[in-house]
Amino acid sequence: MIQRLATSREALLLGAIVVLLAVIATRFPAFITPANLANVFNDTSPLILLAIGQMIVILTRCIDLSVAANLALTGMVVSMLNVAVPGIPVPVVLVVAVGLGTLMGMFNGILVWKLDIPPIVVTLGTMTIFRGIIFLISDGKWVNSHEMSAAFKAFPRAEFLGLAMLSWMAIIAVILFYVVMTRTTLGRAIYAAGGNPHAATYTGINVGRTQFWAFTISGAIAGLTGYLWVSRYAVAYVDIAGGFELDVVAACVIGGISIAGGIGSVGGAVLGALFLGVIKNALPVVNISPFWQLAISGGAIIIAVALNAQSNRAKGRIILKSAEHAA
């Protein structure tokens, strides 16, 4: 039990985060104060939310490259809605955001399920479509802080037990989807559909429908994050969260979610997001240019994929050796 825990991807990643924090603390002790760590977690919360949705999609052997564009379109729509109707209650805004994000996720899922189009092609296309729609509905204009109502901007910043609501939304999502992935029929179907689609089909699981629900969940989470993002930063524009899908995929892969499907956990996605969050918050502190962030994310993806491939290869050799001994 202890040996398995020590060699698990989650334990190793947690250890890497602790070591990283310790190294940073040797130069800047204030970085590891509880207040600053709470701020780092809050800054990373949008990435945690999107990484959970992306994890579910990747587990089914798919990928969703439209999550950042979904976030941006939803954020622009709810921002424009708030400008048009300043008194609209926040719960209604949340419903609109989640609903719109869900519809965009369903659109991706239908194209993958019913038309059998490769997920990377579908989501590359819808990523561009969603960004184009933002430009059309906004005419390329920004929605700025002074145009947003106080209540619209206040929700993600409101504090409860010392944490902002944005952080609490991420924590709730982690708990909810941990239960979904480990205790429900849908969670088991997602793992089965990605782990062995042919065997899953023989057991009565509709792989295409399962992928559809994975995209739908990812879209709903992206929609929710869209509102939280624009309300927290108090701005909405066409290129909001541009390139953020790379960070989302990086968080998943670093967290041990296999691109081949069927392997990964909510905990791994969260730790992968936190690893990137610590790096991105630490770079300015240690006087490293923010332009290195993309290079670091890309390098982390390559290293993580290599580690995943090596792990799978090792497991394969063990199986073959066992078969030889049995013969």
Side-chain angles (χ1 to χ4, degrees):
M1 175 71 177
I2 295 175
Q3 184 179 4
R4 188 177 65 182
L5 182 63
T7 57
S8 72
R9 186 60 169 268
E10 289 83 358
L12 292 173
L13 190 51
L14 181 60
I17 293 171
V18 171
V19 170
L20 183 60
L21 289 173
V23 170
I24 297 167
T26 59
R27 292 187 60 184
F28 301 94
F31 190 86
I32 61 170
T33 60
N36 189 67
L37 290 178
N39 288 333
V40 171
F41 183 82
N42 197 52
D43 289 341
T44 313
S45 292
L47 180 57
I48 291 173
L49 286 165
L50 293 182
I52 291 171
Q54 187 74 260
M55 174 210 71
I56 294 170
V57 173
I58 291 176
L59 285 174
T60 65
R61 296 195 178 188
C62 296
I63 194 165
D64 188 355
L65 298 179
S66 69
V67 286
N70 183 325
L71 177 160
L73 177 52
T74 303
M76 178 59 77
V77 168
V78 295
S79 297
M80 294 177 68
L81 179 63
N82 178 248
V83 171
V85 189
I88 189 168
V90 171
V92 175
V93 175
L94 286 168
V95 170
V96 171
V98 174
L100 181 58
T102 301
L103 288 175
M104 285 187 273
M106 284 181 167
F107 183 63
N108 285 333
I110 285 289
L111 292 177
V112 171
W113 178 21
K114 295 298 185 181
L115 300 184
D116 201 26
I117 305 174
I120 192 169
V121 176
V122 168
T123 55
L124 274 173
T126 55
M127 175 178 69
T128 307
I129 292 170
F130 297 160
R131 293 283 182 187
I133 293 173
I134 300 171
F135 186 84
L136 289 175
I137 64 175
S138 67
D139 200 25
K141 297 176 181 177
W142 291 34
V143 178
N144 294 304
S145 177
H146 68 276
E147 300 175 89
M148 299 176 180
S149 69
F152 182 87
K153 294 181 290 185
F155 178 75
R157 297 181 177 87
E159 290 195 358
F160 177 69
L161 297 178
L163 285 177
M165 283 305 299
L166 177 58
S167 296
W168 281 113
M169 297 299 279
I171 291 169
I172 291 168
V174 170
I175 296 170
L176 173 63
F177 285 101
Y178 173 79
V179 173
V180 169
M181 297 307 295
T182 59
R183 298 288 186 270
T184 68
T185 302
L186 177 60
R188 289 189 289 271
I190 287 170
Y191 278 107
N196 193 326
H198 299 295
T201 301
Y202 283 124
T203 60
I205 295 172
N206 187 319
V207 174
R209 185 185 291 121
T210 302
Q211 292 172 337
F212 166 79
W213 284 116
F215 277 107
T216 300
I217 293 169
S218 177
I221 294 174
L224 170 64
T225 310
Y227 162 64
L228 295 173
W229 185 296
V230 297
S231 58
R232 186 196 180 209
Y233 294 108
V235 66
Y237 53 95
V238 174
D239 293 326
I240 196 168
F244 198 60
E245 57 276 348
L246 173 62
D247 291 338
V248 176
V249 174
C252 289
V253 176
I254 291 169
I257 289 87
S258 173
I259 295 296
I263 299 173
S265 68
V266 172
V270 172
L271 288 171
L274 288 174
F275 182 80
L276 288 180
V278 170
I279 288 176
K280 292 197 171 194
N281 278 272
L283 285 181
V285 175
V286 295
N287 295 323
I288 296 176
S289 169
F291 294 106
W292 279 97
Q293 291 180 9
L294 286 176
I296 291 171
S297 297
I301 289 176
I302 293 172
I303 293 170
V305 169
L307 289 173
N308 287 344
Q310 185 64 34
S311 174
N312 292 338
R313 197 175 297 121
K315 289 177 183 176
R317 283 197 294 267
I318 291 168
I319 291 169
L320 288 173
K321 286 178 181 177
S322 299
E324 288 172 3
H325 290 311

